[in-house]
Every structure is written in C-alpha cells, then in structure tokens.
Amino acid sequence: MTPLTDLLIRRIRQTGPMSLAEFMSDCLLHPEHGYYTTRDPLGAGGDFTTAPEISQMFGEIIGLCLAQNWLDQGAPSPFVLAEIGPGRGTLMADILRVTKTVPGLHAALQVHLIEASPTLKAAQAKALAAYQVTWLESVMGLPEAPLWLVANEFFDALPIRQFTRDGAGWREAQVGLADGTLTLGLSAAAPMPKLAPRMSDTKDGDIVETCPAAAPIVTEIATRIAQYGGAAVFVDYGDWRSLGDTFQALEAHQMVDPLARPGSADLTAHVAFEALAHAAQNAGAVVSQMIPQGMLLGRLGISARAEALATKLSGDALKSHIAAFDRLTSPAEMGTLFKALALAPTAKLLPPGFDA
Ligand code: SAH
C-alpha cells in the first residue's frame, strides 16, 4: 500500500471506477504523492534510463540537428529553444554545450523548459546553472516566436485511455475495486465516435489506446512553428498507430503490476505517432515521416562521433562507451523501438535526417 492507494480507494468508493487516464494522472502527478512530484526517477539508482542519460552523443546529435535547421531557416533572432519534460536537464545541457560554437546561436536563444515536477525542476536548474532558463507550466505559455523544440520520452508519460473492441462498440479500461483492492476492469460496451477510423483495422477483442492530452500540446507547438518558423523533434517509444495493450509500470528497472504501488512506479504507454502527426498537420505544420531512432542517429553521423570519442577512451570507459552506442542504435535495444518525428513550417525546412 502507498499513501495514494488509500486516496484512490476512497475516491472510487465515493464516485465509482475511474478511467486509466485519471488513474495515471494521479499516480504520476498528484501534488503530494505523485511519482514525478516526489522523486528523480532517472538513472541507474532510479527506475528507468533515457537516451540522454545513456550517452552525451544523443544530445550532441540532436543539438547539431536543431542548430543546422536554425541556420537553414535563416538564423532568426531571437528564437525560443524549448524542451518538454526535460528530466534532469541532461539533454538540454548537451544541446547547449554542442551549439556554443555555432555563430550567433547562443546570443539569439531563449531557453524555455516545460516541466510539471518540482523535484526535476530543481535538477534542471542545477544542470543548467550556467544559462538563463525560463520554466513554464504548459506549452500554452511559450512565446509567440520562432521555436525549436525537443521532447524525449515525454509523450509516453501522458495519461492514456484504453479501449477493447466489442462488436460495434468499445469497452473502456477502468480502475475499480474488488474485495477492497484496486483492480482493472472494463466498462460496458459503448460506441466511440472518435475511434470510428479504427473500425476497419481492428477486430473483436483488439485493444486501442488514445492519449487525449497529446493533441492539444502538439497543436500549440505546431501553430507557432507554422506561423513563426522553427521545428520540433519528438522521440519516444511507440509506433505509428496504437494496437494492443502497452500500459506498463516500471520500478527499479523491473516491470511491475501498475496497480500494486500507485505513485511509486513509473507508468507509461507507447506513443501513437499518427495522432501527433494529425494534430500538427491540422495546426498547419508539415510533418516528417516517422523514423526509427537508430536510423536517425546513423544518418546524423553518430558513428563518426562515437569513433572520435572512442579515441580518448580505454578499458572500462571504452567498453561502456561502446555499450552506450549499441544501446542507442541497435535494433535489439532502443534502435527500432524508439521512433522520431519532426515538425517544420514546410517540407523543405524539415531538420536534417528527416524525410518529408
Ligand atoms: N526527457 C527526459 C525525461 C523523460 S521522463 C529524458 O529523456 O531523460 C518524463 C519527463 O516529463 C519528466 O521530466 C516528467 O516530470 C515530465 N512530465 C511528465 N508529465 C508531464 C506533464 N504533464 N507536463 C510537463 N512535464 C511532464
């Protein structure tokens, strides 16, 4: 039992079963007991590790990709360099370090971070102490200006709804009570007009997930990019379209029961990039093809960067550097499970590495 278990049980007793989205949202961001609110979950001593935490190469490559695109778009000044869900600030620190030598770029940029967790905000402030940084509650607060934005493993942390096909309708996954403990169940079948496009590629019993919070966020970003210029790069695990149950909980790098310890385990779901792409297109931005992380990093020269860094290393440091390269790029690790998508004002202005 966690402090959140009690609160959730009481709420369900009063108002009935809650959707998976409500449950996830409380578990991750409850102001007192939420997972992200109360801890720094990243790294070896935490619950999961992300690409920027695995190797500086990830942030360097993404940083140079954004910088080249800023040059290709005429080096507008001032411009906003933003990140959503910056974790420990490692990716932004790597981006800022590697772009220092790009003439005019640092003089033009205004760093904005969108972060919900006070604990991680503090970690970001430490990692980025050398820079002037503005924190925002939401992307709605981003200035009306050219915008280069990155999000790594952000969208997977947003609450999802999960539906199981039942004839012409859908049954929604809900968290309820059985014998006084939290259990997952399904609502009665009901029509879901929003899932109409999925009637043709699913059958009875298939599971489809939606992420209601994602589209409004992408809309804000895409609107600015379409109007003022810039680009966004989203990297996450997932696929083009949601199919199957991808709701999962991680604690201390192990998969655990998502209901067992609310607020103590990281809850995520795979990202359906099609939904992000549609929101961006509807807001007037152009969207790249979705590309696997390994392929993108390969196109942007990670092998050359890895070799250059390797010349300065030996022994265990060299071994772990090679392991990190593999982890980021190999199909058996993050190389194909993770995908990237870019947004730009026009197809010609997509960042390097991305195809229209
Ligand atoms: N991008 C980082 C961290 C990924 S973890 C990395 O790659 O290492 C997810 C991040 O998103 C955390 O910083 C978490 O606090 C933040 N986050 C989760 N939900 C959020 C929300 N609704 N609004 C803003 N930030 C959120």
Side-chain angles (χ1 to χ4, degrees), residues 44 57 88 95 126 130 146 183 215 226 255 273 279 283 297 303 329 339:
M57 290 186 290
R88 287 178 169 168
I95 291 175
K126 217 169 146 192
T183 31
M255 291 267 209
F273 283 87
L297 296 176
S303 300
T329 59
K339 315 283 196 307

Side-chain angles (χ1 to χ4, degrees), residues 118-340:
T119 313
L120 288 173
K121 247 184 231 175
Q124 292 152 21
K126 217 169 146 192
L128 300 168
Y131 304 96
Q132 214 186 330
V133 175
T134 304
W135 277 270
L136 299 171
E137 294 293 310
S138 134
V139 284
M140 303 229 305
L142 282 169
E144 303 283 321
L147 170 67
W148 274 265
L149 177 141
V150 56
N152 185 62
E153 288 210 42
F154 165 74
F155 288 101
D156 68 69
L158 295 181
I160 56 147
R161 294 175 71 181
Q162 194 186 67
F163 302 90
T164 302
R165 172 104 182 249
D166 184 348
W170 299 86
R171 302 177 65 176
E172 178 162 13
Q174 292 178 321
V175 179
L177 292 176
D179 299 329
T181 54
L182 297 173
T183 31
L184 263 183
L186 291 175
S187 72
M192 271 295 296
K194 282 210 166 126
L195 291 180
R198 302 307 305 271
M199 297 311 279
S200 56
D201 72 341
T202 55
K203 54 183 187 326
D204 253 13
D206 278 352
I207 291 176
V208 167
E209 295 164 345
T210 64
C211 180
I217 293 173
V218 174
T219 302
E220 290 292 326
I221 297 164
T223 305
R224 284 167 180 75
I225 289 172
Q227 191 169 350
Y228 304 105
V233 172
F234 304 144
V235 184
D236 227 307
Y237 48 109
D239 223 320
W240 186 242
R241 255 188 176 189
S242 152
L243 187 61
D245 172 17
T246 72
F247 179 50
Q248 67 169 38
L250 270 188
E251 201 168 341
H253 299 264
Q254 302 293 320
M255 291 267 209
V256 295
D257 171 1
L259 303 192
R261 293 165 47 73
S264 296
D266 181 38
L267 302 181
T268 63
H270 284 200
V271 173
F273 283 87
E274 180 185 45
L276 308 186
H278 283 170
Q281 284 161 339
N282 289 338
V286 165
V287 173
S288 74
Q289 287 184 39
M290 185 181 77
I291 176 171
Q293 172 173 306
M295 189 184 285
L296 177 69
L297 296 176
R299 284 182 181 183
L300 294 174
I302 195 171
S303 300
R305 182 67 186 134
E307 280 167 29
L309 286 170
T311 58
K312 294 176 212 144
L313 301 170
S314 61
D316 283 350
L318 180 60
K319 263 191 212 147
S320 69
H321 171 62
I322 293 168
F325 172 81
D326 266 352
R327 229 172 133 188
L328 291 179
T329 59
S330 148
E333 309 235 19
M334 301 170 84
T336 51
L337 173 61
F338 281 72
K339 315 283 196 307

Side-chain angles (χ1 to χ4, degrees), residues 20-95:
L20 217 49
E22 278 175 89
F23 175 76
M24 265 182 100
S25 163
D26 269 332
C27 289
L28 294 177
L29 293 174
H30 185 279
E32 256 177 276
H33 308 297
Y35 176 76
Y36 282 115
T37 329
T38 53
R39 77 201 67 211
D40 172 354
L42 288 148
D47 297 312
F48 60 93
T49 307
T50 57
E53 302 294 333
I54 289 169
S55 166
Q56 68 187 72
M57 290 186 290
F58 184 79
E60 290 172 348
I61 300 267
I62 298 291
L64 291 177
C65 169
L66 296 179
Q68 181 61 53
N69 188 244
W70 176 73
L71 292 170
D72 293 342
Q73 295 199 28
S77 174
F79 78 96
V80 173
L81 176 64
E83 182 174 0
I84 345 175
R88 287 178 169 168
T90 309
L91 172 57
M92 186 52 83
D94 289 338
I95 291 175

